[in-house]
């Protein structure tokens, strides 16, 4: 039997916190169907999964990495670090933090294991050096710059801060993209002396990347498809007034996460290339969700069903002629 010919595609991934495990399932189905991912645009959990995939981590290894990850220790790493600065809190937390997982360290180790350190390691090889910056890199991650109140797309926007895109850390950009307020510390970039600096937080706290963010800008038809993976938002819970400041803060964060990064298509042509994964029972910060729900299978089955009905030729004839 002849070996199946590999196909190419680009991916646009939203956030989703713990729900991001579904991205791994979807990418596994994509790999099994014969697709190689060429470029990824992602925010938050989508930035983590997408950066690993672009770095060359296979779908099976991706699943192992996330299966072995303790989400509670991962999510609370920065919170615990802040509490440790208090001596009384530190005594109570010492045993809890012995086996903690620092997100920046974990992301760095995985990427460096694949030979990826800076965005210069993720250059697209078949475009000219003077091509628009949006075409020169295989990965772009979305952050929010709360110092200057704007969306930042890295590495595309490093020039705003007098930084060389090729020299910037991929792991640091991904870490910035997952900085949920009050959970993870913001990430500072730029030059204080020139005033070109930023304070970056989770890029999924406003609308997500549009599905067409990686589309060609020269009015030529695409050479391969772009797929967006949309994790459907959680259904609204019965409204109850917060009983404390802590509950109010949690309600604010939940509302931001659940009502923002939904990767909703803007038009019928984007709908055609968007994979819908129903995770409406799962919250972004439900740290034990992967024990109660099979998030990997949800993503895998949604992508498998999508590919059975998707035709790139039909999409191109209808939408990109």
């Amino acid at each position: 039997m002849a070996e199946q010919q590999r196909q190419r595609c680009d991916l646009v991934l939203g956030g989703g916190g713990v729900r991001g495990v579904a991205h791994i399932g979807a990418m596994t189905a994509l790999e099994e169907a014969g697709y190689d991912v060429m470029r990824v645009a992602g925010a938050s959990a989508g930035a983590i999964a997408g950066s690993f995939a672009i770095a060359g981590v296979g779908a099976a290894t991706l699943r192992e990495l996330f299966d072995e990850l303790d989400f509670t220790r991962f999510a609370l790493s920065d919170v615990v670090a802040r509490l440790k600065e208090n001596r009384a809190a530190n005594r109570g937390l010492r045993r809890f933090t012995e086996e903690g997982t620092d997100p920046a360290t974990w992301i760095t180790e995985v990427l460096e294991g694949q030979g990826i350190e800076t965005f210069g390691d993720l250059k697209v090889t078949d475009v000219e050096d003077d091509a628009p910056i949006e075409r020169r890199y295989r990965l772009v991650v979305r952050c929010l710059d709360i110092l200057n109140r704007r969306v930042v797309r890295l590495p595309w926007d490093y020039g705003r801060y007098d930084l060389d895109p090729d020299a910037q850390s991929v792991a640091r950009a991904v870490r910035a993209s997952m900085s949920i307020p009050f959970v993870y510390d913001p990430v500072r970039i730029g030059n204080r002396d020139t005033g070109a600096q930023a304070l970056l937080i989770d890029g999924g706290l406003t609308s997500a990347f549009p599905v067409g963010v990686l589309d060609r800008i020269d009015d030529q038809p695409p050479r391969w498809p772009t797929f967006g993976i949309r994790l459907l938002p959680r259904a609204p819970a019965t409204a109850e007034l917060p009983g404390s400041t802590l509950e109010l803060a949690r309600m604010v964060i939940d509302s931001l996460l659940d009502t923002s990064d939904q990767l909703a298509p803007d038009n019928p042509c984007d709908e055609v290339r968007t994979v819908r994964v129903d995770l409406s029972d799962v919250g972004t910060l439900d740290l034990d969700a992967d024990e109660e729900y099979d998030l990997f299978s949800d993503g895998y089955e949604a992508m498998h069903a999508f590919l059975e009905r998707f035709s790139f030729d039909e999409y191109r004839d209808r939408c990109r002629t």
Side-chain angles (χ1 to χ4, degrees), residues 76-151:
L76 297 180
S77 59
D78 282 10
V79 175
V80 170
R82 289 192 293 269
L83 291 175
K84 285 183 67 179
E85 296 176 0
N86 180 289
R87 291 184 179 180
N90 185 27
R91 285 195 295 271
L93 291 167
R94 190 170 298 151
R95 188 176 70 171
F96 177 82
T97 58
E98 283 178 355
E99 300 178 358
T101 301
D102 174 62
T105 301
W106 182 69
I107 295 167
T108 299
E109 289 177 350
V110 173
L111 292 176
E112 288 185 352
Q114 299 297 122
I116 303 299
E117 296 184 16
T118 68
F119 279 98
D121 299 322
L122 294 178
K123 300 287 285 291
V124 176
T125 58
D126 62 348
V127 301
E128 301 79 8
D129 291 339
D130 59 351
I133 194 168
E134 292 85 357
R135 295 178 53 197
R136 299 206 303 261
Y137 297 92
R138 299 187 63 204
L139 175 71
V140 55
V141 301
R142 180 187 176 100
C143 306
L144 290 181
D145 175 0
I146 58 175
L147 192 62
N148 298 290
R149 300 181 184 179
R150 61 191 177 202
V151 172

Side-chain angles (χ1 to χ4, degrees), residues 8-11 35 222-227 273 310 312 315:
R8 296 178 175 185
C9 70
D10 293 337
L11 281 182
Y35 282 92
R223 293 177 291 175
W224 52 74
T226 295
F227 301 131
R273 52 181 177 163
F310 178 79
F312 180 48
Y315 163 77

Side-chain angles (χ1 to χ4, degrees), residues 34-84:
Y35 282 92
D36 293 326
V37 179
M38 305 309 296
R39 295 183 300 164
V40 172
S44 195
I48 298 176
S51 67
F52 289 178
I54 286 297
V57 180
T61 304
L62 271 177
R63 185 173 188 182
E64 289 177 6
L65 285 169
F66 280 82
D67 282 346
E68 294 170 358
L69 187 63
D70 186 326
F71 282 102
T72 300
R73 295 183 186 278
F74 188 78
L76 297 180
S77 59
D78 282 10
V79 175
V80 170
R82 289 192 293 269
L83 291 175
K84 285 183 67 179

